[in-house]
Amino acid sequence: MAAFPLSDADRELVGAAVGAAEAGTDGEILTIITPRSDEYRDTGLIAGAMAMLLVVAIATLDPRLLDAPLGAWGGGWGEAPSMVARLAVLLIAEAAMFGLSLLLFRAPGLRIALTPKPVRAARVRGRAIRYFKVGAEKRTAARVGVLLYLSLDERLAEIVADEAIHAKVPPEAWGDAMAALVDQVRAGRPAQGMAAAVARIGAIVAEHFPKTDADVNELPDRLIEL
């Protein structure tokens, strides 16, 4: 993990929290942690396109700025540079700005920082749902799987529940679990945050799906790192 390296003790902490939470419910809790949910490369492309438009806007406000780089290309005898020459300068400036933007946005941290929060939240939510569909949805006989997903670089998390749980537990019920997780992540303790969130998730699920003798462990308790 680039942002918060996890130790074996961290992994054991989360796994033990899942086991303890599931001890009081038929529900199954799956935990996934990942460095980031998207590379946000489109942010660099958008920034490059905006930089190109900025060049055009500046040239429109003062076309004489295009003449300065031309120097001796003006044609002599005080003649203004030709339209072709000016367009060539404009294209070169646009290409330079686009390339510089892509170079600057090679850093993942900068791409994430300059990506609007609603976009980041949507990417994290989308990735969590995809992982849930693969790893938890309909993987339990009673449809009682819950995914706790943490994306480190975005400092965002998601809780996605299977259909039986979703039918009884409104989304806002997970608020305390999310708060416990986010507080610890901000303090640099993601494993402790996940363990605290798992305990709260287990308590909520246990209210609606208490432990029965027929319960079996259908999803892995260990923390999954992607």
Side-chain angles (χ1 to χ4, degrees), residues 132-154:
F132 173 76
K133 289 182 179 296
V134 172
E137 187 178 39
K138 300 181 180 179
R139 294 284 295 274
T140 62
R143 304 291 192 267
V144 287
V146 182
L147 168 64
L148 173 61
Y149 175 76
L150 173 61
S151 195
L152 289 172
D153 284 353
E154 293 93 337

Side-chain angles (χ1 to χ4, degrees), residues 193-210:
M194 294 197 80
V198 164
R200 287 164 173 76
I201 291 170
I204 293 171
V205 177
E207 293 178 10
H208 303 279
F209 302 92

Side-chain angles (χ1 to χ4, degrees), residues 58-152:
I58 293 174
T60 300
L61 292 174
D62 190 355
R64 293 173 299 177
L65 293 174
L66 298 175
D67 297 346
L70 292 173
W73 297 355
W77 302 103
E79 295 179 8
S82 68
M83 183 61 68
V84 172
R86 284 174 170 168
L87 288 175
V89 171
L90 181 61
L91 289 174
I92 292 171
E94 287 184 306
M97 289 297 290
F98 186 76
L100 180 61
S101 296
L102 293 185
L103 183 63
L104 290 174
F105 279 83
R106 289 185 64 183
L110 182 60
R111 293 198 301 268
I112 292 174
L114 295 182
T115 298
K117 187 173 181 179
V119 175
R120 284 182 277 133
R123 302 276 172 93
V124 172
R125 177 68 178 174
R127 185 62 61 90
I129 291 174
R130 286 196 292 274
Y131 286 149
F132 173 76
K133 289 182 179 296
V134 172
E137 187 178 39
K138 300 181 180 179
R139 294 284 295 274
T140 62
R143 304 291 192 267
V144 287
V146 182
L147 168 64
L148 173 61
Y149 175 76
L150 173 61
S151 195
L152 289 172

